[in-house]
Structure formats: C-alpha cells, structure tokens
Amino acid sequence: MSIQQKLFALIIGAGVFLIILEMVRRRRLAEEYSFLWLATGLGIVVLVLWYDILERLTRFIGAVNPTTTLFIFGFIFLILINLHYSVKITKLTAQVKDLAQKLAIYDKEKQGE
Amino acid sequence: MSNEMKNHFAIIIPAYNEGGRIALTISGIRKSTDADIIVVSDGSADSTAGEAKAAGALVIELPFNLGYGAALQTGFKYALKKKYEFAVQMDADGQHDPLSIQALIEPILKDEVDIVIGSRFLSEESYSAPFVRRMGMYFFGFITSVLTGRKITDPTSGFQALNKKVMEFYASRAYPVDYPDADVIIMLHRKGFRFKEVPVVMHNAAKPSMHGGIINPLYYIFKMLLSIFVTLLRKE
C-alpha cells in the first residue's frame, strides 16, 4: 500500500468517524444508529495504522491487495448498516400500524359518546 | 341487537376506495342478517366512509392506507374491544354473497369449530377466475392441504366466520397483516384451532377490489412461500 493510498484511507476513515461524532453531539443522529458508522470509520483507521493486521487479513481472505481488503470490509459494513435499517423499518412499520389502528378505534369511540 | 347477546356477531368489512359500491354491499348484507356491520375505511380518498355511515354501518376510519390485512385487523381489534363474541369478515366489493353468511356463522355459533372458511369451489355455482389466479389458488390449496393434513379447496378466501379466540389471534402481532392468506390457515392449524370449509357463493366483482387486487403476483407467491416456510420453522 503506497503512502498515498494510506493517507487517502486514513482521511476517509477519520473523516467518517469525526462527522458521525459531531452529528451525535448535535443530536442529529441517535447514538443507537451511530454505532455501525463509527465502527466503520474506526475500522478503516485501525487497519491502515496497524498494517500487519491488514496484511494478515488480506492473506486470510485470499485477496491480493490490502486495498481490496479495506474496501471489502467497508462494503460489508455498509451492508450491515442497511440490514440494520431494514430491521428498524420493519419494527417502525408495525408500530405505525398499531398507532394508526389505535387512533382510528379511539376516534370511533369518541364519536359514539 | 342486544336481544340475543349469545349470538351477537359483527361483520367486518375492510374497504379502500369503494365509494359507489359499499352502500350496495351493506344493504345487501342487511337483507340477510341484522348483525352489526363494521366497515374499516383504509385511508380511502373517496366517499367510502360517508356512504358506509349513511348505509347504517359502524365506520372506523384509518388515517392512511395500511393495506387489506391491517385494515381487517383493525376491525378485529375494535370488535374485541366492543366484546363481540363472533365475527364474519367479508370483502367490500360485493363479491361475497350475503346469503352465505348464515351457513358460515352456523358452525361457529354451535361451537363446532373456531373458524369457518367460505370456499367458492365447494359450491355448485361456478366461479371463474383468470387462469393464473386459478393456478395460484390450486397451488397454495395443495400446499395448505398437505401441511394441515386436510383438504383445503380455497385457501385465499377472505370470506370467513370466527370466534373470539381466533379474533384474539388475528389481533395479535403474529397475524401477517402484509397479506393474510394461505399462511394464516397453516398458522391456525399449528395453533390447534378447529376449522372447516363450507361452500359459499362468490360473484365475480364488476371491477377488481382495490384491496389486494393490485398485489404483484410474483411478490404474492414469494411472500406466501416465505411466510409458510418460516411458519413451519417457528416453534409454537
């Protein structure tokens, strides 16, 4: 991995981490949702700085370039984040449905009074 | 209608944009039973709710469209709250013949079974459905029959009568509001509910019901197979 690649990955990783932290601080993002994002940013930084782990990981998964490893893991994290959202959406959909039903029934009962 | 609380039942009709048709459906039902009629207007953009009220139904209006299953479930939740012991679910489009209600509710009132499913294929009168739809009904009828160990001829029927126990199940989170169908019959079977099919008359709707009529057939097949599969995986 060239210095240039390392620098680029570091900036991206640290950038993501800091932006997420800032958003949590401003309450634009709930802590709950920030976890996977922070892990992604932190993971990139750690792997770049601790190059040994990255090389071992590369051999382990059978990749040729450490850069590939970095992006594969970035990609896997993104998929996990999406999955996390799908689970959340499922739950929210059920909750919204329950609320709408409760409201409609409540409305009906009030009319009857 | 409190003269015979023991046989007190509600007819639950989910309706989405059925203006111009719902009043006719309600007056048709009125001719054959004096049961309370609960119409759940599923975020209809037209005059469905107003027409249903004018026709003498109890109308619940959902603030936005939740889909057939969730609208139906709203009716069950309301019926449970109002302490109805039994319920009949029907479509709003007039497809389900009100004259069949008696045959449907009879085994429930006698406590022979917990749920009665109206089958259009057991009746003398022929029901013509498009080929693909017919094949789908046949296919899921076959799967449902194999999994429940008894002949199910019409697993997609939304014309059902049920008692309080089944209403409670339908009102729970376990009920697949997405598109309740053959998977519900398998769930009922696994929960140990007693059920049977009786012949009912169904007419071909003049125009397909807005509810479920627009469900993508491929998604329907996928959803049903997945739902049945995970139902079998659940320990209940």
Side-chain angles (χ1 to χ4, degrees):
Chain A
M1 214 176 173
S2 70
I3 284 290
Q4 213 177 345
Q5 284 173 334
K6 271 191 183 178
L7 218 60
F8 178 70
L10 263 182
I11 290 170
I12 296 290
V16 167
F17 191 84
L18 291 176
I19 288 170
I20 299 299
L21 266 190
E22 178 59 15
M23 287 175 96
V24 174
R25 193 186 69 82
R26 287 193 198 176
R27 296 200 176 82
R28 295 261 305 273
L29 184 69
E31 285 88 344
E32 186 195 351
Y33 293 98
S34 66
F35 176 75
L36 274 169
W37 286 108
L38 288 175
T40 306
L42 202 65
I44 292 174
V45 172
V46 166
L47 286 177
V48 172
L49 293 181
W50 217 330
Y51 200 65
D52 193 35
I53 295 181
L54 185 59
E55 279 187 319
R56 260 192 249 173
L57 209 57
T58 305
R59 274 197 302 278
F60 180 72
I61 65 168
V64 181
N65 276 316
T67 342
T68 315
T69 315
L70 219 49
F71 283 103
I72 282 180
F73 277 95
F75 187 66
I76 291 173
F77 265 115
L78 282 179
I79 288 176
L80 287 179
I81 286 170
N82 271 323
L83 187 65
H84 177 72
Y85 288 158
S86 296
V87 171
K88 270 283 159 194
I89 290 171
T90 303
K91 194 177 161 194
L92 285 172
T93 307
Q95 286 172 338
V96 168
K97 183 211 76 184
D98 286 350
L99 267 179
Q101 290 177 328
K102 264 224 156 85
L103 177 72
I105 291 171
Y106 178 77
D107 244 21
K108 170 73 197 149
E109 289 190 318
K110 267 195 86 181
Q111 282 169 27
E113 273 168 20
Chain B
M1 246 142 283
S2 53
N3 50 342
E4 237 179 304
M5 270 314 268
K6 217 176 74 185
N7 292 353
H8 198 42
F9 70 97
I11 292 171
I12 297 168
I13 306 172
Y16 176 55
N17 291 347
E18 295 286 353
R21 193 152 64 166
I22 188 74
L24 212 66
T25 305
I26 293 169
S27 59
I29 296 169
R30 266 284 155 269
K31 278 178 203 151
S32 52
T33 173
D34 63 351
D36 292 348
I37 299 170
I38 299 169
V39 170
V40 183
S41 173
D42 190 9
S44 300
D46 66 358
S47 53
T48 301
E51 284 177 35
K53 267 181 215 160
L58 299 161
V59 180
I60 299 168
E61 288 176 79
L62 287 168
F64 40 81
N65 187 256
L66 290 180
Y68 175 82
L72 191 59
Q73 189 185 51
T74 310
F76 289 126
K77 286 183 176 178
Y78 180 74
L80 282 170
K81 214 168 177 195
K82 290 291 167 193
K83 308 253 189 294
Y84 287 95
E85 293 291 321
F86 316 100
V88 171
Q89 67 172 66
M90 283 178 85
D91 283 357
D93 58 12
Q95 216 194 341
H96 299 156
D97 196 316
L99 291 174
S100 299
I101 292 174
Q102 204 50 43
L104 215 56
I105 195 80
E106 204 64 34
I108 300 287
L109 298 180
K110 285 184 186 153
D111 196 29
E112 287 170 18
V113 288
D114 299 309
I115 175 162
V116 178
I117 298 156
S119 168
R120 72 203 90 180
F121 301 119
L122 282 177
S123 66
E124 303 283 306
E125 247 154 285
S126 64
Y127 176 85
S128 60
F131 179 73
V132 179
R133 215 183 126 83
R134 231 190 148 79
M135 288 311 288
M137 287 170 173
Y138 223 80
F139 176 64
F140 284 108
F142 174 74
I143 291 185
T144 315
S145 300
V146 168
L147 291 177
T148 59
R150 48 199 293 186
K151 186 107 185 83
I152 301 292
T153 59
D154 196 355
T156 66
S157 170
F159 199 7
Q160 306 179 355
L162 37 127
N163 64 16
K164 201 173 162 190
K165 274 190 287 176
V166 179
M167 264 198 269
E168 275 160 2
F169 170 67
Y170 277 13
S172 77
R173 275 276 169 94
Y175 186 66
V177 289
D178 187 6
Y179 201 65
D181 207 295
D183 47 349
V184 174
I185 298 179
I186 293 164
M187 280 178 202
L188 290 168
H189 169 73
R190 288 174 66 89
K191 288 254 174 210
F193 288 112
R194 302 163 298 161
F195 62 93
K196 78 178 213 177
E197 275 190 324
V198 301
V200 293
V201 176
M202 286 196 203
H203 307 290
N204 293 311
K207 77 177 162 77
S209 164
M210 300 297 285
H211 250 153
I214 42 176
I215 292 264
N216 179 342
L218 275 182
Y219 172 72
Y220 169 76
I221 292 169
F222 160 77
K223 191 258 149 171
M224 210 42 66
L225 285 176
L226 177 67
S227 180
I228 290 172
F229 182 66
V230 296
T231 299
L232 295 178
L233 289 181
R234 289 189 188 115
K235 284 194 192 108
E236 278 168 332

